[in-house]
Amino acid sequence: MSQFKTWFGKKKEAGIPEQLDETNIPKHVAIIMDGNGRWARRRGLPRAAGHHAGMKAIKRVTVAADNIGVEVLSLYSFSTENWKRPRDEVDYLMKLPQEFLALELDELIEKNVRVRMTGWKEGVPAHTLGAVEEAVEKTKNNTGLILNFAFNYGSRMEMMEAVRGIVKAVQSGELTLEQVDEASLESRLQTAGLPDPDLLIRTSGERRISNFMLWQLAYTELIFSDLYWPDFSDEHLYEAILEYQSRNRRFGGL
Ligand code: IPE
Ligand code: IPE
Ligand code: MG
């Protein structure tokens, strides 16, 4: 019944729009959190200030998603291509998980949130990994919202690795060629065990996927917001979900 924990008659107080249909909440919401740098530049601040403000938005949106019974919230936090950025910016981004978790882990535990990481550990500094792994470990038995950080994640690499895994399994005789199917690939993706996203939101006005969950987004509803990520709030999440609820998902049928 976690779905309705703040709902009955309390939508207004929680800022949840009355029209939101509680029987049609996307199970998995994924967000490409973009625009931190432009948010900062517009204010004459260093890019790091934008990333810091973006962290506050993560908190707001996580609470909002949890309130309406979203089951998985995937947040694209650092891509395999983001290593191309200047060293000081990368260093700052690698500090944010620690900072976020130092502030929020207790509340996440209290809210029964389960933290998960999708992405490669290789290359991520020990101090960053330590914080994330501690959060994953301390929340592993939680049964509420799955807060999935896509960190050092890229979809092409993910699919390539899955293909390698399949080829190996065929070579070793563990799988026959005929047995290779969608499930064999999916079980080898970083997102194994998670449902595909129902809704993808990208902020900042960019209308592209930037190597995020290319396989998993096959039938996902896409919503692009012109807001920079640090300006994104619970009300914007609810608006996006209202739009999602107005869409007709056909999955190739009629
Ligand atoms: C998103 O904001 C955060 C990450 C990619 C880590 P950006 O840093 O990409 O912000 P813009 O796109 O330069 O405004
Ligand atoms: C996508 O944003 C990656 C994350 C939000 C972590 P980018 O800012 O890296 O994407 P591009 O380079 O504009 O496509
Ligand atoms: Mg960007």
Side-chain angles (χ1 to χ4, degrees):
M1 282 314 287
S2 70
Q3 181 98 350
F4 303 118
K5 54 192 158 197
T6 59
W7 284 60
F8 295 116
K10 289 175 50 180
K11 281 185 178 176
K12 269 218 176 86
E13 291 141 61
I16 300 169
E18 289 291 338
Q19 322 87 281
L20 206 67
D21 174 1
E22 47 218 77
T23 66
N24 185 21
I25 299 296
K27 274 195 165 63
H28 185 173
V29 176
I31 307 185
I32 301 177
M33 308 183 291
D34 198 14
N36 294 349
R38 280 163 282 167
W39 181 94
R41 190 174 62 201
R42 186 179 269 186
R43 285 165 179 73
L45 297 170
R47 292 179 58 85
H51 296 311
H52 193 266
M55 193 175 77
K56 302 288 171 192
I58 290 180
K59 169 69 188 295
R60 294 192 297 270
V61 170
T62 301
V63 170
D66 183 51
N67 277 344
I68 57 171
V70 169
E71 292 175 19
V72 185
L73 178 64
S74 288
L75 300 175
Y76 204 8
S77 317
F78 191 88
S79 78
T80 45
E81 288 70 36
N82 288 146
W83 294 107
K84 295 178 197 161
R85 295 189 179 197
R87 174 75 193 268
D88 62 338
E89 179 163 347
V90 169
D91 286 348
Y92 187 76
L93 289 168
M94 291 296 147
K95 284 188 193 129
L96 277 183
Q98 274 157 284
E99 197 177 332
F100 176 76
L101 291 165
L103 284 171
E104 308 299 350
L105 185 56
D106 288 345
E107 193 179 332
L108 295 176
I109 291 171
E110 187 205 314
K111 284 192 182 310
N112 196 24
V113 169
R114 179 167 181 180
V115 176
R116 168 174 171 146
M117 176 176 156
T118 288
W120 290 274
K121 294 177 178 175
E122 293 78 29
V124 177
H127 62 89
T128 317
L129 262 189
V132 175
E133 282 175 345
E134 182 195 341
V136 170
E137 175 62 27
K138 283 191 171 160
T139 62
K140 70 176 182 206
N141 295 320
N142 288 355
T143 54
L145 174 75
I146 295 175
L147 178 57
N148 179 36
F149 288 101
F151 195 85
N152 194 22
Y153 171 81
S155 191
R156 287 188 169 183
M157 177 132 116
E158 174 189 41
M159 288 197 274
M160 245 169 39
E161 282 202 348
V163 169
R164 280 198 196 116
I166 289 174
V167 171
K168 255 179 139 171
V170 171
Q171 281 176 338
S172 71
E174 184 194 322
L175 274 182
T176 66
L177 200 53
E178 292 67 37
Q179 283 168 332
V180 175
D181 57 8
E182 292 192 8
S184 2
L185 191 99
E186 278 171 359
S187 67
R188 289 171 172 83
L189 296 176
Q190 295 270 327
T191 50
L194 297 177
D196 288 340
D198 301 290
L199 168 62
L200 172 80
I201 301 168
R202 182 175 187 145
T203 58
S204 90
E206 308 295 1
R207 282 153 170 78
R208 57 176 170 264
I209 302 298
S210 300
N211 201 18
F212 186 61
M213 295 197 187
L214 301 177
W215 171 279
Q216 298 88 335
L217 293 175
Y219 274 103
T220 301
E221 294 298 326
L222 310 178
I223 291 184
F224 297 99
S225 163
D226 288 332
L227 291 168
Y228 295 139
W229 173 248
D231 290 327
F232 202 84
S233 191
D234 42 359
E235 64 185 292
H236 305 113
L237 178 74
Y238 300 144
E239 266 169 31
I241 294 179
L242 277 174
E243 177 168 348
Y244 166 86
Q245 292 184 339
S246 76
R247 306 248 182 116
N248 183 5
R249 302 184 77 189
R250 285 185 290 273
F251 299 97
L254 293 179

